[in-house]
Amino acid sequence: RKEVEQDPGPFNVPEGATVAFNCTYSNSASQSFFWYRQDCRKEPKLLMSVYSSGNEDGRFTAQLNRASQYISLLIRDSKLSDSATYLCVVIQPSGGSYIPTFGRGTSLIVHP
Amino acid sequence: EPEVTQTPSHQVTQMGQEVILRCVPISNHLYFYWYRQILGQKVEFLVSFYNNEISEKSEIFDDQFSVERPDGSNFTLKIRSTKLEDSAMYFCASSELRPGYGDTQYFGPGTRLTVL
């Protein structure tokens, strides 16, 4: 199975900053893409799906670049509550089906 | 808002013992999954389940593991003879659509398994 790579960070930013994360994937036949956030010792929670046209949800913007095989997440006006690990999830083909592959996550620390 | 539930929240067992982890997926979801996350490592796919059978499994999901949907609501993961390296957080998830077709998976809070 091909891998999903993320910079583990941590990204240490002040409140109000803009921060961007990238995630690269190596299987060009990957089908769907998501960003999840995970707080310490908690379950992953869906942040947003990622579409080729790009999508925005409040302060969060996600982009997919199929040609270069990466997805990105931009967080504007960072809040203390944004501190978490951000997980990239790629749905990759496997046999006749698709399975989710997680990146290791990028840690974000937002400080006052 | 509907949610995935898991029991127990923490299970401690002796090496070689059998454990059963339980999950109740969201009621109208058709696809169910188990993942594990060893402390400090990434979330790893174990198995997906649809229409009462396994649809996909990873190399981690060997003969020591099995899944079952014993009734209309529960989805279980059994580890037959636990090893020390099975210590991890086990997450159950469910989705309405099949993987690769715009699905969104919703995760339960996890069961922390500690094998002594």
Side-chain angles (χ1 to χ4, degrees), chain B residues 18-21 34-38 44-47 54 57-68 76-83 85-90 113 115:
Chain B
E18 174 182 287
V19 294
I20 298 176
L21 310 183
W34 282 103
Y35 296 85
R36 80 171 184 192
Q37 187 175 30
I38 296 169
E44 297 174 291
F45 169 80
L46 293 178
V47 66
I54 291 173
K57 60 182 180 179
S58 71
E59 58 272 13
I60 303 169
F61 194 88
D62 61 23
D63 292 345
Q64 292 297 313
F65 292 89
S66 62
V67 289
E68 196 177 31
T76 62
L77 174 69
K78 183 192 291 185
I79 309 175
R80 263 179 270 282
S81 177
T82 49
K83 307 183 192 66
E85 55 265 35
D86 293 328
S87 294
M89 182 74 98
Y90 288 81
L113 176 65
V115 182

Side-chain angles (χ1 to χ4, degrees), chain A residues 15-62:
Chain A
E15 270 186 291
T18 295
V19 62
F21 310 135
N22 279 344
C23 167
T24 60
Y25 61 95
S26 52
N27 191 328
S28 59
S30 297
Q31 196 78 2
S32 307
F33 309 87
F34 304 87
W35 284 103
Y36 279 74
R37 75 171 271 167
Q38 186 176 30
D39 294 287
C40 188
R41 295 179 179 261
K42 300 282 192 182
E43 75 273 25
K45 292 194 173 178
L46 178 70
L47 187 63
M48 57 201 306
S49 305
V50 189
Y51 305 115
S52 297
S53 54
N55 47 304
E56 188 174 309
D57 182 2
R59 298 181 293 108
F60 299 85
T61 301

Side-chain angles (χ1 to χ4, degrees), chain A residues 1 3-4 31-32 34 36 38 41-46 49 87 91 94-105, chain B residues 33 35 37 39-43 45 55-56 58-59 89 91 98-110 112:
Chain A
R1 182 180 321 151
E3 294 301 319
V4 175
Q31 196 78 2
S32 307
F34 304 87
Y36 279 74
Q38 186 176 30
R41 295 179 179 261
K42 300 282 192 182
E43 75 273 25
K45 292 194 173 178
L46 178 70
S49 305
L87 308 177
I91 311 297
S94 175
S97 185
Y98 290 87
I99 62 170
T101 302
F102 281 71
R104 286 188 166 273
Chain B
Y33 313 84
Y35 296 85
Q37 187 175 30
L39 189 63
Q41 298 190 25
K42 66 178 180 178
V43 176
F45 169 80
S55 48
E56 195 63 53
S58 71
E59 58 272 13
M89 182 74 98
F91 293 110
R98 59 188 290 195
Y101 289 83
D103 65 317
T104 296
Q105 294 187 26
Y106 295 88
F107 283 74
R112 180 164 298 283

